[in-house]
Amino acid sequence: MNQYKINFDQYKGFKPGNIKLLMGVCGLYFIFLKKTEIPYPFRKSRLIYIGMSEKRTNSIGKRLLGHYRGASGNEGLINYRKVEGLYFTYLNFEMLKTIWSYRIEDLESYFILSFVNRYGVYPICNNKTGLEVLKKDLNLNFEIDWKYFEKGNTQNG
């Protein structure tokens, strides 16, 4: 089984100027709180949402702008942004296609289920459950740097 380490790029403030740079980019995106850690059952994290964009016409930039403006209808994201402010980071799907041979929806499910395994529940603002992608015969394993979203991480405050 092939093992791959997934590290996240430098985060950006959740504001239109940073979001518009991702128009046309497909992949996964991660929205997290600036300061507050959510006390999930197994450990705390500032990560509150894992999302995806499967095509350029509904890119990460478009999806994030929808969340920012409230068009997505995700009240949790809207209210956390108002009260505390948010950051985001992303993974470009083009960079993972050489090692991930399944759909991007399956990759999102893999990440969500990996989060559940580490923290005990789905991210607080995710409204859907992960598909059972981990039951597939995957010939790879991602070591995801979930600590990136935990307090005390020097890269993220």
Side-chain angles (χ1 to χ4, degrees):
M1 178 175 295
N2 295 324
Q3 179 99 0
Y4 299 97
K5 186 160 178 63
I6 301 292
N7 294 306
F8 297 97
D9 280 339
Q10 180 65 35
Y11 64 89
K12 304 274 189 221
F14 191 63
K15 56 187 180 183
N18 291 331
I19 293 169
K20 288 180 180 176
L21 300 172
L22 296 174
M23 291 299 186
V25 176
C26 297
L28 301 183
Y29 57 92
F30 306 82
I31 301 174
F32 60 106
L33 299 168
K34 287 188 173 183
K35 297 176 280 197
T36 305
E37 287 186 300
I38 302 298
Y40 292 114
F42 298 160
R43 57 178 49 96
K44 295 177 182 178
S45 177
R46 294 182 296 153
L47 184 67
I48 60 171
Y49 189 82
I50 298 171
M52 64 121 196
S53 156
E54 71 279 17
K55 51 191 169 192
R56 294 175 56 87
T57 54
N58 193 23
S59 65
I60 292 174
K62 188 170 182 179
R63 297 290 316 264
L64 286 173
L65 273 178
H67 291 310
Y68 182 86
R69 294 179 175 146
S72 69
N74 190 314
E75 294 297 323
L77 293 177
I78 293 165
N79 292 323
Y80 277 121
R81 182 177 70 80
K82 288 178 186 174
V83 171
E84 176 171 330
L86 301 170
Y87 292 128
F88 73 91
T89 189
Y90 70 98
L91 295 172
N92 189 328
F93 190 58
E94 287 298 317
M95 306 299 284
L96 296 172
K97 279 184 176 179
T98 58
I99 57 174
W100 184 261
S101 57
Y102 303 101
R103 302 172 314 143
I104 192 167
E105 293 89 348
D106 295 326
L107 183 64
E108 179 193 37
S109 294
Y110 183 101
F111 273 73
I112 290 172
L113 292 172
S114 174
F115 184 91
V116 170
N117 189 45
R118 180 172 174 88
Y119 295 95
V121 293
Y122 296 95
I124 195 167
C125 292
N126 275 88
N127 298 326
K128 63 180 178 180
T129 60
L131 304 173
E132 294 300 315
V133 68
L134 296 182
K135 289 184 179 175
K136 290 186 178 186
D137 278 337
L138 299 177
N139 59 352
L140 59 83
N141 182 50
F142 289 137
E143 182 184 330
I144 302 168
D145 181 20
W146 292 118
K147 288 184 179 181
Y148 181 92
F149 303 103
E150 295 175 9
K151 228 175 191 163
N153 176 346
T154 55
Q155 186 177 7
N156 284 331

